[in-house]
Amino acid sequence: MPITLDPSGPNTVTVGSFDRLTGGAYDDDVTVTAGLADAIVELGAGNDVLRLASAANLVTVSGAESIYGGGAADTLTLLTPLTGGRIDLRGGNDIVRLSDWNRPRDGVSCMNTASVFGMSMRTRPSEFPAPGSWRSV
């Protein structure tokens, strides 16, 4: 089931399961209460926050500046660069795949993430310190 947030202003919402969620041009704060299986989240412009459920999540994201996971294994793929953003997947055997355009100088901070991968030669896994501490990539 697709969900489209109100595009006329900022949104703070709590949602269950979905296959696609689309935000607007303002600040969106989305809390997900159910595990996501191959979902797409497109939050658009604004200073957006995505809070995943404490369940295994497989999600592809664009437009989020902060992403928080639960205690289970999350697999997160970024379609767009996360510049100056924060990812804290909070436990589990988590995987983050950065977009083709993320580079170390973009200032992405990852915490509690077991593996961080670049999707092209623009980002190399060797550029990331060991999991378990904040690190800018």
Side-chain angles (χ1 to χ4, degrees):
M1 165 179 79
I3 297 173
T4 302
L5 302 181
D6 182 357
S8 65
N11 296 283
T12 299
V13 297
T14 300
V15 297
S17 185
F18 58 86
D19 58 359
R20 181 180 219 108
L21 184 137
T22 305
Y26 297 91
D27 297 350
D28 296 318
D29 190 325
V30 177
T31 299
V32 182
T33 60
L36 299 175
D38 205 19
I40 298 171
V41 177
E42 300 171 296
L43 290 176
N47 186 18
D48 303 309
V49 178
L50 175 62
R51 302 168 203 281
L52 299 172
S54 288
N57 294 284
L58 173 60
V59 62
T60 301
V61 179
S62 68
E65 283 67 43
S66 297
I67 303 169
Y68 301 98
D74 298 310
T75 300
L76 174 67
T77 300
L78 300 178
L79 289 180
T80 55
L82 184 65
T83 303
R86 177 173 285 187
I87 299 171
D88 182 354
L89 295 182
R90 298 187 177 162
N93 190 17
D94 303 309
I95 297 172
V96 174
R97 293 183 179 100
L98 299 174
S99 91
D100 275 349
W101 299 105
N102 268 111
R103 298 168 304 255
R105 68 176 175 257
D106 288 339
V108 178
S109 295
C110 291
M111 184 175 190
N112 299 314
T113 303
S115 301
V116 179
F117 299 100
M119 291 179 63
S120 73
M121 291 306 293
R122 292 179 190 89
T123 312
R124 295 181 304 276
S126 63
E127 295 172 330
F128 304 104
S133 61
W134 280 107
R135 55 198 186 269
S136 292
V137 294

